[in-house]
Amino acid sequence: MKPLGKSGSPGRRPRRRTLLFGALGAGVTAVAVPLGLNLSSTPSATPGKGTRPTQDPTSTRPGHTSHTPSAGTSPTLTPDQGYSPLTSVAFSPDSKLLALGAGDGAISLWDSATLKKTVALSGPTKVGSTRLSDLAFSPDGTILAVAQDKTTTLWHVATHTKIATLTDTEIDPVGVVSLAFSPDGTILACGNHHATISLWNPVTHSRITTLVDPVGYTDSPFKSVACVAFSPNGSTLAVSMENGRVRCWDVRTREITATIVGAKKYLPSIAFSPDGKILAGATQDKAVKLWDATRRVERATLTFTDIGSRSDYVSRVVESVAFSPDGKTLAGSTGGGLIQLWDIATRKLTTTLDGHADDARSAAFSPDGTMLAATLDSRMGLWKLG
């Protein structure tokens, strides 16, 4: 999902961005698209427990009720970018395009049906000079917003042209870590370091206002914004903070209506269920919290018992959460390279997909419910659902 943060914040990976798309069918097949690598095929394999073969990045994890992916073939891609982990993946509203962003600033659009790259909007930049943390499509699919360092760039999707660069100068410009469009597309929320959220009009490119968290404008690594998410009706903007709290802002009055003490450490990703009744939050301790979005109380904790073969701290971090559009399934990706699917009604784990990667930073369902995509280091894994 996100690169490591500033020094002094071990394991910090500003998040993600969360998509509320997709629905699961009876079967799961898989194909992996490697970026920056030359890989011609992904032979099917069902690894033994505890093993992580390098040739099949899309098998399901044994020991869980799941569907074994069928053999798939990935197109051979000629490397055109440096080896840099992918930080964000997003589907266009019509599910036809996949946008991928890499930590080195590379941005590309892919045809989700043919798995062919349609355009590279931006190539990699000099190592250390930039950091792409998030990207998001507008609800009508005409704009792609990209958070990169201290700016948010707006791209016109059809013409592949840059139309605006947004920089909040109300306060000293700081890094943008998370993006979210309001459901009606009239507001673009940019979550920043230093506990601020910039609200923009994506059409006029004008700043509406800057929300400053009560902790104050601060450069403390434990008081910055981690993720922003609008409720489905657009009335609430939820903001997860690095101090483990979630602020619920009234979009109309721009006042905080509630504060949820979600965890002892920061919440990399949050997402509303499609009906707006549940707010999910990824934690750094191999769990996802589910809160009642109205009463703002905890309803359940989904614990990841299998976090991959890595034993370091990062493997315990749930990097990203996403709901299917019918609200029945929640997907969570981990720092250990796993993607787990949960039944919301029963609170039970149904499927574990092993990406055979060191990190799965971002995961997203397609709006038409036929695909689940996840970043797997410098590759993108695509599972076909149904």
Side-chain angles (χ1 to χ4, degrees), residues 315-332:
S315 67
R316 299 173 62 88
V317 178
V318 181
E319 303 267 21
S320 176
V321 289
F323 278 98
S324 59
D326 59 9
K328 295 180 179 180
T329 302
L330 181 136

Side-chain angles (χ1 to χ4, degrees), residues 218-340:
T218 173
D219 61 0
S220 168
F222 301 106
K223 294 182 180 178
S224 288
V225 170
C227 183
V228 294
F230 281 97
S231 61
N233 64 9
S235 64
T236 299
L237 177 66
V239 180
S240 66
M241 307 293 293
E242 292 203 343
N243 58 14
R245 288 168 170 75
V246 178
R247 306 287 196 192
C248 296
W249 293 79
D250 185 294
V251 175
R252 183 180 62 83
T253 65
R254 291 157 198 168
E255 299 287 339
I256 293 177
T257 58
T259 297
I260 301 172
V261 180
K264 295 180 180 179
K265 301 175 183 178
Y266 96 109
L267 304 164
S269 176
I270 53 175
F272 280 97
S273 60
D275 61 8
K277 294 181 179 180
I278 300 174
L279 178 63
T283 76
Q284 288 188 305
D285 195 23
K286 61 177 184 179
V288 172
K289 298 284 188 178
L290 300 181
W291 298 288
D292 185 302
T294 301
R295 298 171 55 211
R296 279 69 185 264
V297 294
E298 186 175 326
R299 295 176 58 174
T301 297
L302 309 179
T303 302
F304 286 57
T305 57
D306 186 357
I307 58 175
S309 62
R310 290 179 57 177
S311 59
D312 62 355
Y313 171 77
V314 174
S315 67
R316 299 173 62 88
V317 178
V318 181
E319 303 267 21
S320 176
V321 289
F323 278 98
S324 59
D326 59 9
K328 295 180 179 180
T329 302
L330 181 136
S333 62
T334 74
L338 301 182
I339 300 91
Q340 296 199 332

Side-chain angles (χ1 to χ4, degrees), residues 24 27 30 36 49-50 54 78 109 123 129 142 171 174 186 190 202 207 212 215 250 284 297 313 331 339 376 381:
L24 292 177
K49 191 169 182 63
T54 58
T78 302
L109 297 180
S129 64
T142 60
I171 302 177
V174 293
T186 60
C190 302
R207 187 180 61 84
V212 180
V215 300
D250 185 294
Q284 288 188 305
V297 294
Y313 171 77
I339 300 91
L376 306 170

